[in-house]
Amino acid sequence: MDVVGITKSLPTSVAVHPIVLLGVVDHYNRVCKDTKKRAVGVLLGYVSRGKVSCTNYFAIPFEEDEREPDVWFLDHTYLESMMAMFRKVNAREVIVGWYSTGPKIRPGDHEIHELIKNYAANPVLVIIDVKPKDLGLPTEAYISIEQAQEDSTVQRMFAHLPSEIEAAEAEEVGVGHLLRDIQDSSVSTLTGELAGKLAAMKSLLNRLQELKAYLFMVSKEELPLNHDIL
């Protein structure tokens, strides 16, 4: 199948729009709430200068065996039908990857990622935390890379990509209206700014800890040096 709309260069960052976050939470609440299931779907958008902008989405029928995580079913026929419908509405938005409510990467995700590659050259995986416990971004973005091993074999692995929340002007207005009714009037603007800075610092600390752990394993020769990760 021909891949349309994505260059073959690897993405360098991911931006997720509010409509995607709201839609994924709705998908999870409708299908997976009070269960151990996760919601899985396709991310639509565009790529510009290495930045993947996820501007839309659609859910996919998905099932997996809780006892055998490698056993799963994803309705790719439904995926292709939805893709054709969205293309008629907005040809600029193409498949750029897929999402999962995780909350972590699972054993079958590499195989799912390979399936999505039939529709996008270098798709991204975005894990969206629908029940965040800490301040910070509810998204984790990944790209699949191949790592050469000492025995000349090649191992697939997910490399972390920087992610952010990005909104068009119309989306900012819409989100503002949604938050206006639920915002606590006792919370001052200064408090909000401090909370935002604290969330950013916690996110940076987590990234630095991940990098420290990776470099330590490289120094111990437990992992090979990978310039794509650095």
Side-chain angles (χ1 to χ4, degrees):
M1 178 174 295
D2 294 335
V3 174
V4 180
I6 286 189
T7 62
K8 292 187 177 181
S9 58
L10 288 176
T12 56
S13 65
V14 176
V16 182
H17 284 240
I19 189 173
V20 175
L21 295 177
L22 293 172
V24 172
V25 171
D26 176 68
H27 178 196
Y28 177 86
N29 287 333
R30 286 187 291 103
V31 179
C32 309
K33 190 176 182 180
D34 299 326
T35 71
K36 294 182 179 180
K37 295 181 179 181
R38 60 171 170 162
V40 170
V42 166
L43 294 171
L44 302 171
Y46 59 91
V47 182
S48 177
R49 298 180 180 179
K51 180 179 178 179
V52 179
S53 295
C54 304
T55 56
N56 211 337
Y57 82 102
F58 60 81
I60 303 177
F62 176 79
E63 295 289 341
E64 62 186 335
D65 193 321
E66 294 181 3
R67 293 171 296 180
E68 298 184 43
D70 289 331
V71 178
W72 52 271
F73 167 77
L74 187 150
D75 193 340
H76 61 87
T77 302
Y78 178 86
L79 186 159
E80 293 173 6
S81 298
M82 290 295 293
M83 180 178 65
M85 291 174 58
F86 272 89
R87 189 175 296 167
K88 292 179 180 178
V89 175
N90 187 350
R92 184 169 180 248
E93 288 184 336
V94 297
I95 293 180
V96 294
W98 62 291
Y99 69 82
S100 163
T101 55
K104 300 293 182 181
I105 292 175
R106 300 196 184 185
D109 286 352
H110 279 293
E111 284 67 34
I112 299 173
H113 203 80
E114 289 300 307
L115 174 63
I116 301 298
K117 281 186 178 180
N118 291 324
Y119 310 98
N122 289 304
V124 296
L125 162 60
V126 179
I127 295 182
I128 299 175
D129 187 358
V130 296
K131 296 180 179 180
K133 297 180 181 178
D134 300 315
L135 290 175
L137 293 179
T139 58
E140 294 284 347
Y142 300 90
I143 185 73
S144 178
I145 61 173
E146 293 184 345
Q147 177 67 60
Q149 304 299 304
E150 294 181 356
D151 58 359
S152 299
T153 60
V154 176
Q155 179 181 1
R156 288 176 300 171
M157 59 185 298
F158 282 113
H160 188 269
L161 286 177
S163 62
E164 61 179 341
I165 307 301
E166 184 177 80
E169 183 177 354
E171 290 177 308
E172 291 179 352
V173 173
V175 172
H177 280 289
L178 286 174
L179 295 178
R180 184 175 58 186
D181 295 332
I182 63 174
Q183 187 174 11
D184 187 350
S185 59
S186 65
V187 178
S188 67
T189 302
L190 178 60
T191 302
E193 291 179 357
L194 290 175
K197 293 184 183 296
L198 177 61
M201 294 298 293
K202 285 186 175 181
S203 179
L204 176 60
L205 178 61
N206 289 335
R207 300 292 182 271
L208 291 175
Q209 288 174 339
E210 289 179 3
L211 182 58
K212 177 182 177 182
Y214 170 72
L215 292 176
F216 178 78
M217 296 181 73
V218 170
S219 68
K220 295 293 185 180
E221 298 184 350
E222 296 177 6
L223 282 177
L225 180 63
N226 188 307
H227 293 286
D228 289 331
I229 296 179
L230 297 177

